[in-house]
Amino acid sequence: MRTKPSMIVFSHICSPAYVTGAERLLMFMLRELRTSFLCTLVVPNEGILAGQARAAGIPVIILNIPLVVTLYTAQPQLYLDIEKSKQSEEWSMLVGLLLERRPDVALVNTSVHPLPAMAAKALGIPVVWAVMETIRETPYTSHSLSILNEYSDFLICISRSTAAPFHRLSLHNKISIIYPSWDAADYNPASWPESRMTRREQLGLGEEHRVVGFIASALYEGKGLDHYMHMAVQLAAVYPQAMFLIVGNPVDTPYFERCLDIARSRGCLERFRWVRFEENIEQIYPAMDIVVVPSLTIEGFGLTAMEGLIFGKAVVVYSSGGLQEIGTATGNEAYIAPAGDIAGLTAKAGSLLADERRLQLVSRHNQQAVVQAFGLSAYRTRLHQFLNSLTIQGFVPLRLVRGSIPTVYAFEDGVLHPFASEDAFLAQGHSFEEVRTLPDDILAALPKGAPIGEQTTPTLHAATREPRSSRRRTRRRRLRRRRLKSGTRASRRSRSRAKSGRRRSKPAASKARVGRSRAGARRGRAGRRTGRRKSIREGKRRIA
């Protein structure tokens, strides 16, 4: 017997080589949601996230649903990209999956993953859309926001930065800001001193060195590695104890080489170390003393900065979206440089290298401040507030459906069966008030079966019938038109007879004219009554 509502969760990525920030945040949320929901995770392929979910007892389904990146970047071809994605086989498989699983709620992770939200919403499944990035600002941003609004019932934003664009649509009641958090046990704090010593030995570094680190799961221009390199070569010339550690996987090799050339050209490349991104970050962060996060894109949150604080490191950031929120919330305003200001970034990192006592004080402060601002207790309070506002009506199975055309279908065992005629529909004991309208792309994704019944008369689909009050008004208008026509014909006959009567001069002719006129009027009234009764009978039989 099921004791908790079911939730199906869609991740846009499942990397086999490393875990992105979005994946880490989603996995943490899944662990917390398990206390309230029976969760199932849908990922595009096998990878680290899928393994972590299975290890936590969460079932995993593999379905490679097309992504629509132009929803996040707010580009003019957004709607075309969505329609193209719906032509894929995976769209049909997605609709079938939702109908088979019948979840009580769907959670969609990140703004590049609209198809699950669209399918779930069309099927009447409540949609929670977790927005982990700040929608790009372009002339088409309003289009992206409209889609996110239309196909969600609830929006979870991981920072004020991600929530900000939605305020222009006055969606305050729909948005919950739930900052990311962590479970301290996952990072094994007791191992940090040993990890620091081991990693430094591997890198050829001693305890006398002060390591200024840069860390990202993927190294590309938006992460600001070139800004870090320009800062680093200036610091290297002033502080001999400074060494520099780059952690991440290059996804743009020419860009990565250009960044290294900055150090080569200054003759100080030997002061730099580089390691690929590791899943076990507790083996990397302890080796650092300062973490620098010079993101050039507007960060949805800035998980790297928060992790630096968790490990008790001084953190210097650009004021890019959520990074500024993290710095402000933890009392690190002095170490926030304006985005793109390399000189400011260099000065703030240099002030820490120049003052060992300050460096140690800031490090200890950060480890306490991050718990108060973003710790597990604060996270659970925000999450429970959201869950208390979450209304779940349960999955409503499909029975009788139609699209934009009048054809009505019965949905049985995953197959749509069209009714051959209105008589066939009514013979099954159905009423047209039961028919549910679905988007055409949902119907197109479902297999079609044999028709129900025989088409004995031209198909009249009462799914297109007007409401009863509208049908009454329609009948009254028809009756009025018929009365007017009947009255006009009677009037014409009367005028014609009157003209011919004027040509008669005898009184008898006048009397005959009056008699015929009265008789004609009686026949006209009787005809109108007969026509009215006939039209009412026809109106009762007719299905508009």
Side-chain angles (χ1 to χ4, degrees):
M1 180 178 178
R2 196 176 77 172
T3 58
K4 293 185 286 191
S6 61
M7 173 182 283
I8 190 164
V9 181
F10 294 89
S11 175
H12 74 296
I13 189 172
C14 185
S15 174
Y18 55 87
V19 180
T20 64
E23 290 173 280
R24 292 206 296 279
L25 296 182
L26 179 61
M27 190 64 228
F28 178 80
M29 182 183 287
L30 276 173
R31 290 193 183 113
E32 293 296 311
L33 288 171
R34 283 184 308 168
T35 61
S36 302
F37 293 93
L38 296 171
C39 297
T40 299
L41 176 64
V42 181
V43 294
N45 49 265
E46 289 290 353
I48 297 173
L49 176 63
Q52 291 175 340
R54 291 191 184 100
I58 299 171
V60 176
I61 296 172
I62 307 297
L63 180 57
N64 190 14
I65 303 166
L67 304 180
V68 182
V69 178
T70 47
L71 180 59
Y72 160 58
T73 57
Q75 297 302 306
Q77 69 271 29
L78 166 60
Y79 291 104
L80 291 176
D81 288 347
I82 290 174
E83 292 306 314
K84 182 179 178 180
S85 298
K86 287 183 178 179
Q87 304 305 313
S88 66
E89 181 183 0
E90 288 77 13
W91 169 252
S92 298
M93 296 171 68
L94 169 61
V95 174
L97 172 65
L98 291 171
L99 289 171
E100 176 190 351
R101 291 281 169 165
R102 300 184 175 187
D104 295 305
V105 62
L107 189 151
V108 179
N109 200 42
T110 76
S111 62
V112 300
H113 212 18
L115 296 194
M118 291 178 163
K121 186 73 171 176
L123 295 172
I125 301 168
V127 175
V128 178
W129 204 330
V131 182
M132 297 200 174
E133 52 280 299
T134 304
I135 302 300
R136 295 277 181 86
E137 192 65 44
T138 75
Y140 305 94
T141 300
S142 60
H143 296 176
S144 294
L145 298 178
S146 295
I147 289 174
L148 285 156
N149 177 37
E150 181 179 355
Y151 295 103
S152 67
D153 297 283
F154 307 91
L155 287 167
I156 292 179
C157 296
I158 62 170
S159 67
R160 289 190 177 88
S161 174
T162 57
F166 295 99
H167 292 325
R168 70 186 69 174
L169 299 181
S170 300
L171 300 179
H172 303 80
N173 295 332
K174 193 174 188 176
I175 296 172
S176 296
I177 296 177
I178 303 179
Y179 289 106
S181 188
W182 74 99
D183 187 339
D186 291 340
Y187 294 151
N188 192 13
S191 69
W192 295 355
E194 184 179 353
S195 295
R196 178 181 177 89
M197 182 179 65
T198 302
R199 182 63 69 171
R200 286 195 169 213
E201 286 179 356
Q202 293 172 351
L203 297 172
L205 302 174
E207 191 55 43
E208 70 277 9
H209 293 118
R210 289 294 164 258
V211 178
V212 182
F214 176 99
I215 182 168
S217 57
L219 301 177
Y220 56 92
E221 192 168 358
K223 292 298 182 182
L225 178 59
D226 53 331
H227 285 234
Y228 168 84
M229 296 299 294
H230 284 296
M231 173 205 73
V233 295
Q234 295 180 57
L235 295 175
V238 178
Y239 303 102
Q241 79 277 26
M243 299 294 285
F244 305 93
L245 174 59
I246 302 168
V247 181
N249 300 312
V251 295
D252 183 346
T253 302
Y255 168 73
F256 183 62
E257 288 298 325
R258 288 197 302 273
C259 290
L260 296 182
D261 284 341
I262 296 171
R264 288 192 188 101
S265 65
R266 296 290 190 94
C268 60
L269 190 58
E270 75 282 355
R271 304 275 292 275
F272 290 79
R273 305 291 187 269
W274 167 55
V275 297
R276 290 189 175 274
F277 187 80
E278 293 190 13
E279 180 184 352
N280 299 317
I281 58 174
E282 66 271 17
Q283 297 177 9
I284 291 292
Y285 279 104
M288 302 178 185
D289 297 293
I290 302 171
V291 176
V292 178
V293 190
S295 292
L296 298 172
T297 58
I298 300 177
E299 290 284 353
F301 182 67
L303 187 59
T304 302
M306 186 179 77
E307 288 171 344
L309 298 170
I310 293 169
F311 284 92
K313 308 304 172 184
V315 177
V316 180
V317 302
Y318 272 160
S319 60
S320 300
L323 291 174
Q324 180 157 346
E325 291 180 56
I326 294 172
T328 302
T330 57
N332 279 283
E333 293 91 342
Y335 303 104
I336 303 173
D341 182 4
I342 297 175
L345 193 73
T346 304
K348 292 179 184 303
S351 69
L352 293 166
L353 289 171
D355 189 338
E356 180 67 21
R357 182 173 176 276
R358 174 190 287 188
L359 176 60
Q360 298 304 322
L361 287 173
V362 169
S363 298
R364 286 195 294 271
H365 163 82
N366 286 349
Q367 202 161 21
Q368 297 173 357
V370 72
V371 173
Q372 294 176 352
F374 305 113
L376 189 55
S377 177
Y379 179 87
R380 286 175 174 167
T381 298
R382 296 180 182 114
L383 181 63
H384 291 158
Q385 287 174 347
F386 166 72
L387 293 178
N388 289 337
S389 70
L390 186 62
T391 54
I392 301 175
Q393 63 184 16
F395 182 82
V396 180
L398 298 183
R399 288 184 61 248
L400 303 171
V401 297
R402 56 159 292 190
S404 61
I405 62 174
T407 304
V408 178
Y409 298 89
F411 184 71
E412 299 174 353
D413 299 324
V415 178
L416 293 175
H417 296 273
F419 287 95
S421 66
E422 184 175 344
D423 291 338
F425 177 84
L426 296 174
Q428 297 284 326
H430 299 307
S431 70
F432 290 104
E433 284 73 17
E434 301 174 61
V435 178
R436 184 169 159 188
T437 301
L438 295 179
D440 291 340
D441 50 35
I442 294 290
L443 294 181
L446 297 172
K448 309 299 187 296
I452 298 174
E454 297 181 0
Q455 186 167 350
T456 56
T457 58
T459 306
L460 295 173
H461 300 281
T464 61
R465 294 173 71 179
E466 298 175 291
R468 186 172 297 176
S469 59
S470 298
R471 296 199 299 271
R472 290 189 186 123
R473 288 194 294 271
T474 301
R475 285 198 293 269
R476 286 197 292 267
R477 284 195 295 268
R478 288 175 184 151
L479 289 173
R480 283 196 294 269
R481 285 196 296 268
R482 287 171 182 166
R483 288 173 191 158
L484 288 171
K485 290 178 181 178
S486 177
T488 301
R489 285 194 295 268
S491 176
R492 286 174 180 169
R493 286 196 297 270
S494 297
R495 285 197 299 271
S496 176
R497 289 169 184 154
K499 288 179 181 178
S500 62
R502 290 192 195 103
R503 288 193 295 269
R504 300 181 182 182
S505 55
K506 295 181 180 180
S510 177
K511 291 179 181 179
R513 183 175 67 245
V514 171
R516 284 193 298 271
S517 177
R518 289 174 178 170
R522 285 194 297 272
R523 284 194 300 272
R525 286 193 297 271
R528 287 195 296 274
R529 284 194 297 270
T530 302
R532 190 183 311 142
R533 287 195 296 270
K534 182 179 179 182
S535 64
I536 291 172
R537 286 196 302 272
E538 290 177 349
K540 288 180 179 178
R541 287 197 303 267
R542 179 178 175 80
I543 297 177

